[in-house]
Amino acid sequence: MGLKFTIDNCTLCLIYDAALSRVIGTGFTFLKPEWVVTARHVVVEDGAPRRSLMVTREQSFHAQVLFSDPAVDLAVLELSDRGACKVPLFPSHERFAGGQGLICCGYAPSRSSPADGRYELFVNSVPEYEREVRSRSDLEEELVIFKAPFAEGGHSGGPVFGEGGGVVGAIIELFQREGVEFARATSILPLLRHLTFGVTQRSRGDA
């Protein structure tokens, strides 16, 4: 039996740049209804936060970069209000996935029709994956790598779920290996130290 769970539909969302008039990535409501996590490179350009961000799913909300991690490709947006999400997603770790595998989600441009106001998120099972560790002087970044022939530009920032629907990571990169499409997701855990200890409040708007 594959991994199955139910989440609030509003927790999965699209990151939209009003200045560009297009979707630029995927995000998910995390820990608080007004916090949305995505990849840093989606919302930071040339070292500065994008200024015309919106988060959209069933409703649209203005958003600003609350915090972006310079070491890990993760960022937190703060919505203009609490939004429609009643049950934000919560953290987990890849090791708790057991034999059930993982699930990932991301924006699918090929299935969307912006002219008609239709934007699709694509959910996929990840039955097998690899682990990778990047060691730095002050950080050990844990990553998972998996085959992703389904992935498209726009998946960046999309959540990777483990057992029970907990978020184990966020997609930060698509790449090819021997002609096969892969995705790399970084663990959500490094972000928790910032959210838990209030670093976001001191870093508002910093990139």
Side-chain angles (χ1 to χ4, degrees):
M1 179 180 293
L3 182 61
K4 295 182 179 180
F5 52 84
T6 301
I7 61 173
D8 184 338
N9 188 52
C10 296
T11 60
L12 303 175
C13 50
L14 304 164
I15 311 300
Y16 186 88
D17 189 329
L20 300 176
S21 299
R22 64 179 176 88
V23 173
I24 55 175
T26 309
F28 53 94
T29 307
F30 189 68
L31 295 180
K32 291 186 176 182
E34 64 271 25
W35 284 354
V36 171
V37 171
T38 187
R40 181 181 189 272
H41 72 263
V42 170
V43 296
V44 173
E45 184 178 39
D46 297 327
R50 294 180 183 269
R51 301 298 183 185
S52 304
L53 294 170
M54 299 190 72
V55 170
T56 182
R57 186 63 170 129
E58 294 183 341
Q59 295 176 265
S60 296
F61 302 93
H62 292 284
Q64 62 177 331
V65 177
L66 180 67
F67 173 78
S68 64
D69 194 315
V72 179
D73 193 0
L74 291 172
V76 181
L77 304 181
E78 186 174 50
L79 302 183
S80 54
D81 58 39
R82 291 177 63 86
C85 178
K86 305 302 182 186
V87 185
L89 296 174
F90 54 91
S92 185
H93 193 274
E94 165 269 325
R95 67 174 175 266
F96 300 135
Q100 299 292 318
L102 304 171
I103 289 177
C104 71
C105 176
Y107 170 56
S110 67
R111 294 169 173 249
S112 302
S113 178
D116 299 328
R118 180 170 59 84
Y119 299 93
E120 295 289 338
L121 286 165
F122 195 31
V123 179
N124 286 274
S125 63
V126 180
E128 298 179 352
Y129 55 90
E130 308 167 23
R131 300 174 178 86
E132 181 181 308
V133 176
R134 294 174 176 170
S135 295
R136 302 183 179 91
S137 59
D138 61 343
L139 174 69
E140 194 168 82
E141 182 183 8
E142 300 180 13
L143 305 108
V144 294
I145 300 171
F146 50 91
K147 290 182 180 178
F150 49 80
E152 306 179 39
H155 268 61
S156 289
V160 178
F161 299 100
E163 191 74 29
V167 179
V168 304
I171 297 173
I172 58 171
E173 182 183 16
L174 303 179
F175 65 97
Q176 281 196 348
R177 181 195 294 168
E178 298 179 351
V180 179
E181 298 288 340
F182 281 81
R184 181 178 281 112
T186 187
S187 171
I188 205 70
L189 297 184
L191 196 61
L192 296 180
R193 72 179 184 271
H194 301 293
L195 297 176
T196 302
F197 295 107
V199 174
T200 51
Q201 298 306 313
R202 299 197 301 274
S203 306
R204 183 183 298 271
D206 290 351

